Amino acid sequence: GVFPSFYKNQKIIHVFRNALDVVGSMMRLKVLGGDSWLDRYGRSILQALIEHPNVSALYRKKYVILERQGLPVHLVGALYWEIKNQGFFNLLKLNKPVYAVRYETLVGSPEIELLKLSQFLGVSWSDSLLNHPEHPHAELDVNGIAIGETDPRRGIDTQSIGGYRHLLTEQQIQEVYCFSEDFTNKINQLSI
């Protein structure tokens, strides 16, 4: 669908996360009926993204390659990851106030990164930022879990890093690396 613009040049935080962990997360997340989120929704959302008039011709070409391969789920996830993260570079090009942070750095050194984020946003530092489980959370299911099966009662930790190793085969890992290598290099050139 199309939503009216509600953005009025507010500051934006964009979190980059390792492609393999994102793909693994989309494959691990189960929806009603037992399908993975990627199988149930990812493919159709990716197709809609590809059909959008503003999507890069490069992504259309990559999608055609995936179609020829039968839309392998791990590579569908990798392309979805690229397109979603391309938004950061689009915002930069438009001179929007956007700040990039790596997920792995954020959860590995939360105090340092949250301090930088506070400064970017122009808000005062508070130690309570490090203790989010102590604060009430909205939009939880009946079990107290947020979208994506995130448990807001869990403190900031690095448990979600490297989880793809339990879901993807070595071949799939190498295929995601190769498929997303150029985009990963583009991210790695950022000073974040």
Side-chain angles (χ1 to χ4, degrees):
V2 176
F3 297 94
S5 178
F6 57 87
Y7 175 69
K8 304 291 184 217
N9 241 22
Q10 292 92 347
K11 293 180 178 180
I12 304 165
I13 297 169
H14 186 94
V15 180
F16 285 104
R17 188 174 178 206
N18 174 289
L20 290 164
D21 275 327
V22 172
V23 170
S25 180
M26 289 189 282
M27 290 173 67
R28 182 178 50 253
L29 181 61
K30 300 298 179 196
V31 296
L32 213 52
D35 293 338
S36 77
W37 180 91
L38 199 47
D39 282 321
R40 175 77 60 85
Y41 301 111
R43 285 186 170 114
S44 58
I45 292 172
L46 180 61
Q47 184 176 1
L49 290 170
I50 290 299
E51 292 171 359
H52 193 278
N54 293 338
V55 77
S56 161
L58 170 67
Y59 296 132
R60 286 194 181 97
K61 287 178 188 173
K62 284 185 147 192
Y63 186 78
V64 168
I65 291 167
L66 295 186
E67 278 186 314
R68 289 184 191 138
Q69 296 175 15
L71 294 172
V73 70
H74 62 293
L75 296 180
V76 165
L79 184 55
Y80 184 93
W81 171 85
E82 281 190 34
I83 293 172
K84 289 293 189 171
N85 282 296
Q86 179 60 43
F88 170 81
F89 295 100
N90 296 346
L91 290 167
L92 269 186
K93 210 180 270 187
L94 294 170
N95 294 314
K96 298 296 182 185
V98 61
Y99 181 90
V101 64
R102 290 185 189 272
Y103 174 85
E104 295 80 9
T105 305
L106 178 62
V107 299
S109 303
E111 186 169 358
I112 293 168
E113 292 305 313
L114 289 172
L115 181 59
K116 291 177 189 176
L117 290 171
S118 296
Q119 291 168 345
F120 169 73
L121 294 172
V123 298
S124 299
W125 170 257
S126 170
D127 287 338
S128 68
L129 290 170
L130 297 170
N131 298 316
H132 75 89
E134 296 174 11
H135 303 286
H137 292 79
E139 300 179 0
L140 303 178
D141 67 16
V142 294
N143 299 314
I145 303 298
I147 194 166
E149 295 184 359
T150 301
D151 186 349
R153 297 163 293 206
R154 195 173 110 201
I156 300 170
D157 61 51
T158 58
Q159 288 180 14
S160 297
I161 297 174
Y164 66 88
R165 291 183 185 100
H166 305 292
L167 294 158
L168 301 172
T169 66
E170 266 312 307
Q171 181 175 341
Q172 289 173 321
I173 291 169
Q174 289 308 312
E175 289 173 355
V176 170
Y177 271 134
C178 291
F179 187 80
S180 298
E181 183 178 21
D182 291 341
F183 196 83
T184 299
N185 289 338
K186 187 175 179 178
I187 294 169
N188 288 338
Q189 291 173 2
L190 297 170
S191 56
I192 56 173

